[in-house]
Amino acid sequence: MTLSTLPIPNARFAHSLPDPDQVCLPGVRQGGAQALLSQQTLEDVVALALAVTGAAAAQLHLQQDDAPPDTPPALILIATELLLDADSQPSGYLSIFDHAPRKLSASQQADLAALARQVSQQITSRRAVLRLEASLQRLEIISSTDALTGLQNRRSFEQRIRQEFARARRYELALSFLMLDVDFFKHFNDVHGHQAGDRMLYRVAQTLRQKLRGQDTLARFGGEEFVVVLPNTGRNGALVLAERYRLAIESLGVAEVTVSIGVATLEATMQGPDDLVNAADRALYLAKGSGRNKVVEAPLN
């Protein structure tokens, strides 16, 4: 039995002799395998396949693709080797084409089979790496996301504000920071229950997110406190944005739900991001102490 008689799902074979005036140059038909193997690796596979078989062209195709590549024009399929996954199940195929029908020699068949095994191992290893990378990405998202609100959490916020502070200092850019606190949240929890409090925090978070500019970072700082990092934003712009956030929460129409906001802008005397955060925290304290549901700017040093 020749390798070309193996049943390959969805494969389309050429059965006629080629036109002598039409010659297909040796090359690779990737069939979507580019996602798992680099271009250089694909070219190596084809070069080796052509070297061991003396054929005119080769195709490397994975079965999970929507459609296999067409048979190269003016060529005939002479051999196909299955690619197997880690469970020894078919995961694709390596096909060899030539200008006229012929059988591979026993040594050519053995070399092609060995090459197919190597390709299968490479693809299996690459899939394992991709799965690991995807898992790590999911873990990174989980570790940087607040479970209740879906916003960035404090850990993620602290990384971002360090980056933005360093960038602002290096390039002499403006940087502002908002700290928001939901007014009378403890009273709301006592009256309506903790589940209602959680739902309210989620609603506040989504309302803030809808008003967020693309360059800004919104995070849950802890409890009923939220923070916003405002790159390339000076004092006046920060005050405008803070008032926009305050009005958005006030407009929710939920009884007793308002926010107080402290605003701080980067100053020359600030040595690190903690100075910016502390300035906004002091401004927030003034906002809550002077009636709540208002925006207060940190006094300039």
Side-chain angles (χ1 to χ4, degrees), residues 247-268:
L247 288 173
I249 302 304
E250 187 179 59
S251 300
L252 285 176
V254 179
E256 306 171 24
V257 178
T258 59
V259 292
S260 300
I261 305 177
V263 180
T265 300
L266 181 61
E267 300 178 39

Side-chain angles (χ1 to χ4, degrees), residues 159-178:
Q159 291 177 345
R160 183 59 184 274
I161 198 169
R162 283 196 297 268
Q163 294 169 355
E164 292 298 342
F165 189 93
R167 190 172 73 93
R169 279 288 186 242
R170 180 175 183 180
Y171 298 107
E172 298 182 352
L173 301 173
L175 176 64
S176 293
F177 176 71
L178 311 181

Side-chain angles (χ1 to χ4, degrees), residues 19 28 57 103 116 132 136 147 153 162 168-169 181 191 196-197 241 255 272 287:
D19 184 334
V28 62
K103 293 183 179 180
L132 177 60
L136 292 175
N153 59 19
R162 283 196 297 268
R169 279 288 186 242
D181 186 273
V191 173
L241 291 170

Side-chain angles (χ1 to χ4, degrees), residues 8-286:
I8 306 298
N10 300 322
R12 293 192 286 266
F13 300 158
H15 298 287
S16 59
L17 291 174
D19 184 334
D21 295 330
Q22 297 179 353
V23 179
C24 181
L25 296 175
V28 62
R29 298 296 300 276
Q30 296 170 16
Q34 185 72 49
L36 292 173
L37 295 174
S38 69
Q39 178 64 40
Q40 183 177 3
T41 304
L42 289 168
E43 292 173 350
D44 290 343
V45 169
V46 171
L48 286 170
L50 300 181
V52 301
T53 62
Q59 289 181 355
L60 182 61
H61 183 65
L62 306 181
Q63 287 182 0
Q64 68 264 36
D65 298 325
D66 293 335
D70 294 326
T71 297
L75 294 178
I76 304 264
L77 177 72
I78 62 170
T80 297
E81 274 290 337
L82 284 172
L83 305 177
L84 303 178
D85 61 20
D87 299 319
S88 297
Q89 297 299 310
S91 64
Y93 50 88
L94 173 62
S95 299
I96 305 299
F97 301 84
D98 215 337
H99 300 293
R102 67 181 175 92
K103 293 183 179 180
L104 298 181
S105 67
S107 65
Q108 288 176 328
Q109 289 185 21
D111 289 341
L112 185 62
L115 177 60
R117 287 194 296 272
Q118 291 178 5
V119 173
S120 297
Q121 291 169 359
Q122 282 186 287
I123 291 176
T124 298
S125 298
R126 180 57 181 156
R127 284 191 172 126
V129 169
L130 291 175
R131 286 194 296 269
L132 177 60
E133 289 175 348
S135 297
L136 292 175
Q137 289 175 354
R138 287 193 295 270
L139 288 174
E140 176 61 26
I141 291 173
I142 292 172
S143 68
S144 63
T145 302
D146 177 64
L148 175 63
T149 63
L151 302 180
Q152 293 189 34
N153 59 19
R154 183 164 179 169
R155 169 182 172 272
S156 179
F157 150 72
E158 288 175 347
Q159 291 177 345
R160 183 59 184 274
I161 198 169
R162 283 196 297 268
Q163 294 169 355
E164 292 298 342
F165 189 93
R167 190 172 73 93
R169 279 288 186 242
R170 180 175 183 180
Y171 298 107
E172 298 182 352
L173 301 173
L175 176 64
S176 293
F177 176 71
L178 311 181
M179 182 170 284
L180 304 84
D181 186 273
V182 179
D183 296 326
F184 301 111
F185 180 69
K186 182 179 183 304
H187 176 72
F188 186 96
N189 263 347
D190 291 341
V191 173
H192 302 285
H194 290 282
Q195 289 186 341
D198 287 348
R199 289 192 296 269
M200 187 266 284
L201 286 177
Y202 178 82
R203 188 172 179 185
V204 167
Q206 302 316 304
T207 301
L208 296 174
R209 173 181 277 167
Q210 290 171 4
K211 299 295 181 181
L212 194 69
R213 301 180 305 176
Q215 68 186 35
D216 301 337
T217 298
L218 170 65
R220 185 182 180 195
F221 193 68
E224 67 273 25
E225 288 186 329
F226 300 88
V227 290
V228 187
V229 182
L230 305 173
N232 305 310
T233 305
R235 170 182 176 274
N236 292 336
L239 290 172
V240 169
L241 291 170
E243 183 63 15
R244 184 182 301 170
Y245 286 131
R246 189 195 67 77
L247 288 173
I249 302 304
E250 187 179 59
S251 300
L252 285 176
V254 179
E256 306 171 24
V257 178
T258 59
V259 292
S260 300
I261 305 177
V263 180
T265 300
L266 181 61
E267 300 178 39
T269 57
M270 293 179 175
Q271 300 299 309
D274 287 347
D275 293 336
L276 189 61
V277 173
N278 291 336
D281 190 30
R282 290 192 296 270
L284 175 61
Y285 180 81
L286 294 174

